[in-house]
Amino acid sequence: MIYINDIPSFRDPESHEEIVDDRIEKIELINGNTIQDYGHCYTGDTIALTCIFKSKYYSRLMDLWGNREKVSFTDQSGNVFTDMRLVIRRIKYVEKFPEYLILTFELWRV
């Protein structure tokens, strides 16, 4: 189970992926390569999830997203991340179970 602020998911996420913002680039030259490296930009990291929530939380989640409020995120291990921006990508109701919805979203560090 995860939490967005105090909103619990129904169970552990279907998928959970952390995308790091590593600002390194290989530049091809005529006689070889060189590297341009600005390092890891922690505030550019993104957490991408697909998770089931009870539909009674729909309006609260939409408000957090629509109002661009910063949220806290608690992952399945109990780690808490604060000052995250919720970015909803997809909403789908669970077939035959309209009281649940599948939310695909990202959490950005800002």
Side-chain angles (χ1 to χ4, degrees):
M1 180 181 314
I2 64 161
Y3 288 87
I4 298 175
N5 288 348
D6 63 339
I7 302 171
S9 65
F10 175 67
R11 61 180 184 219
D12 282 350
E14 309 296 310
S15 67
H16 179 155
E17 179 179 27
E18 296 194 28
I19 304 152
V20 296
D21 186 1
D22 186 8
R23 299 191 180 180
I24 189 169
E25 177 182 12
K26 181 171 70 170
I27 301 169
E28 296 180 12
L29 303 172
I30 293 172
N31 293 324
N33 298 298
T34 189
I35 300 295
Q36 188 171 15
D37 189 353
Y38 295 107
H40 171 227
C41 182
Y42 179 77
T43 58
D45 290 355
T46 300
I47 301 172
L49 299 116
T50 298
C51 200
I52 297 176
F53 289 88
K54 291 184 178 180
S55 58
K56 71 180 184 178
Y57 299 122
Y58 176 83
S59 63
R60 289 181 58 199
L61 290 165
M62 293 301 106
D63 286 345
L64 290 172
W65 172 53
N67 295 330
R68 305 298 197 224
E69 294 181 34
K70 290 184 180 177
V71 300
S72 65
F73 167 65
T74 306
D75 70 11
Q76 343 30 330
S77 300
N79 298 314
V80 179
F81 303 88
T82 58
D83 294 327
M84 305 289 286
R85 180 68 50 92
L86 175 65
V87 181
I88 295 177
R89 296 296 186 195
R90 186 174 295 120
I91 303 161
K92 177 182 174 186
Y93 282 91
V94 178
E95 191 174 327
K96 299 182 183 177
F97 298 97
E99 64 272 11
Y100 297 97
L101 56 94
I102 300 170
L103 194 67
T104 300
F105 61 98
E106 296 173 356
L107 293 159
W108 295 356
R109 292 189 172 104
V110 290

